[in-house]
Amino acid sequence: MHLETNKKIGSPIGIFDSGYGGLTILEEIKKTLPTYDYIYLGDNARTPYGTRSFDVVYKYTLQCVKKLFEMGCQLVILACNTASAKALRTIQQRDLPLLDPQRRVLGVIRPTVEIIDSKTVTKHVGLLATTGTVQSDSYPIEIHKLYPHIQVASEACPMWVPLIENNEHKNDGADYFVKKNIENILKISPQMDTLILGCTHYPLLMDKIVAFLPSNIQVISQGVLVANSLSDYLQRHPEMKQRCSTNGTVQYFTTESEAKFASAASVFISKNICAHHIDLNE
Ligand code: DGL
């Protein structure tokens, strides 16, 4: 399939996540780049991706990227660490040249990794992420490409996304899981001074994370990093910048029901969001 290249009118930047977590990234992107048009696509009907196999995450992510391309996006951000870890490289290297070599798909891991050496003094860094992201080893691989001297300890937190998606993250029950995962990573890496939240859902647990973490450890969440990186990317790629439309609009699409999206999304960003249902097979 070769896609028709869209004109500047109606070429929003696509923001994709398996669910609602990418909304935290989109909020930061909008603050940094308010004039662009955006389409958010949440594959809420098939979330979570974090416990799924490589093949399934790749297949689902590619389907969503194609849908965003069909909707006119020239540039798509995978605002999901699991999709960035398991699908981004294959999409960039194998699918894009066939679909449309001029379009771009970017992830959230690289922008996070790039700043890490400037944050850590001990050169011991921790990663909290979904099981899929941890098993992919994407973070240690990407960190070591840039900074081979940094030690990375990883801890999968499989209960955190379900707690957040079910709006249980502020309740006492969540304390047990947050405390357990933080204690585990501190045991693996007592010298850690920097902790990456490698899942776009996790900023919602920030209060509890900080409460269970020694005060000398700084927490890195991704929204601002991804927003700055996108701004930088558009500066460095005027040909892409020119193709992205700038009417300041945001449209939200979900593979789940519109009513479910509206009530769950308000947990992530304190706003009423009206999303449109989308069928990926149409
Ligand atoms: N938002 C996804 C991420 O950043 C996690 C949610 C999921 O498991 O689907 O990895």
Side-chain angles (χ1 to χ4, degrees):
M1 175 169 56
H2 213 281
L3 296 156
E4 204 184 300
T5 303
N6 288 71
K7 303 242 162 29
K8 186 174 164 78
I9 290 174
S11 294
I13 297 173
I15 309 288
F16 165 71
D17 185 35
S18 60
Y20 303 101
L23 292 171
T24 63
I25 304 278
L26 175 57
E27 283 304 286
E28 293 299 337
I29 291 177
K30 281 197 295 169
K31 276 187 217 157
T32 307
L33 298 163
T35 55
Y36 287 88
D37 295 320
Y38 299 98
I39 291 184
Y40 184 87
L41 172 56
D43 193 6
N44 307 91
R46 302 188 294 194
T47 199
Y49 280 18
T51 45
R52 295 187 190 276
S53 68
F54 264 87
D55 286 352
V56 170
V57 172
Y58 162 67
K59 191 174 121 192
Y60 287 1
T61 305
L62 180 60
Q63 234 182 334
C64 292
V65 167
K66 283 183 177 170
K67 185 54 83 176
L68 285 164
F69 281 178
E70 273 171 40
M71 295 162 99
C73 300
Q74 299 288 317
L75 174 63
V76 171
I77 311 295
L78 303 185
C80 173
N81 287 270
T82 311
S84 300
K86 291 186 159 186
L88 179 62
R89 181 157 307 180
T90 313
I91 290 175
Q92 285 175 333
Q93 292 179 357
R94 198 172 69 190
D95 299 300
L96 267 184
L98 299 171
L99 290 169
D100 183 342
Q102 300 217 308
R103 301 199 198 204
R104 288 289 173 271
V105 181
L106 307 174
V108 288
I109 295 179
R110 186 79 185 195
T112 314
V113 159
E114 275 171 353
I115 55 93
I116 214 67
D117 192 49
S118 67
K119 298 285 177 190
T120 172
V121 175
T122 63
K123 305 304 171 193
H124 287 258
V125 165
L127 169 73
L128 300 177
T130 64
T131 307
T133 300
V134 168
Q135 282 176 349
S136 75
D137 267 341
S138 295
Y139 270 93
I141 290 168
E142 291 300 321
I143 288 174
H144 290 148
K145 274 186 203 161
L146 298 177
Y147 313 117
H149 54 283
I150 293 182
Q151 304 285 316
V152 187
S154 305
E155 167 79 356
C157 310
M159 290 304 293
W160 290 20
V161 169
L163 282 168
I164 296 163
E165 293 268 335
N166 290 293
N167 202 7
E168 288 288 338
H169 55 290
K170 292 213 167 87
N171 297 337
D172 293 347
D175 287 10
Y176 170 82
F177 293 101
V178 174
K179 185 166 179 280
K180 182 177 115 174
N181 291 123
I182 286 183
E183 281 175 359
N184 285 350
I185 199 161
L186 286 170
K187 258 185 232 147
I188 310 168
S189 179
Q191 290 165 275
M192 167 181 84
D193 66 353
T194 307
L195 181 61
I196 300 169
L197 301 187
C199 172
T200 53
H201 282 65
Y202 294 178
L204 275 88
L205 281 164
M206 188 64 95
D207 291 351
K208 289 191 191 296
I209 294 167
V210 170
F212 290 115
L213 208 57
S215 57
N216 64 314
I217 298 177
Q218 61 181 326
V219 181
I220 308 289
S221 64
Q222 300 176 298
V224 175
L225 302 177
V226 175
N228 290 342
S229 173
L230 176 58
S231 171
D232 185 51
Y233 177 86
L234 291 168
Q235 289 307 320
R236 285 184 290 109
H237 294 88
E239 75 295 344
M240 178 56 80
K241 186 176 172 172
Q242 212 192 0
R243 292 212 297 275
C244 295
S245 57
T246 51
N247 305 299
T249 65
V250 188
Q251 292 171 275
Y252 297 89
F253 291 88
T254 174
T255 55
E256 247 294 348
S257 85
E258 296 172 359
K260 199 168 170 197
F261 188 94
S263 82
S266 62
V267 171
F268 284 78
I269 47 171
S270 338
K271 274 183 197 167
N272 291 328
I273 294 178
C274 178
H276 303 284
H277 172 75
I278 196 161
D279 189 334
L280 295 173
N281 299 311
E282 276 172 4

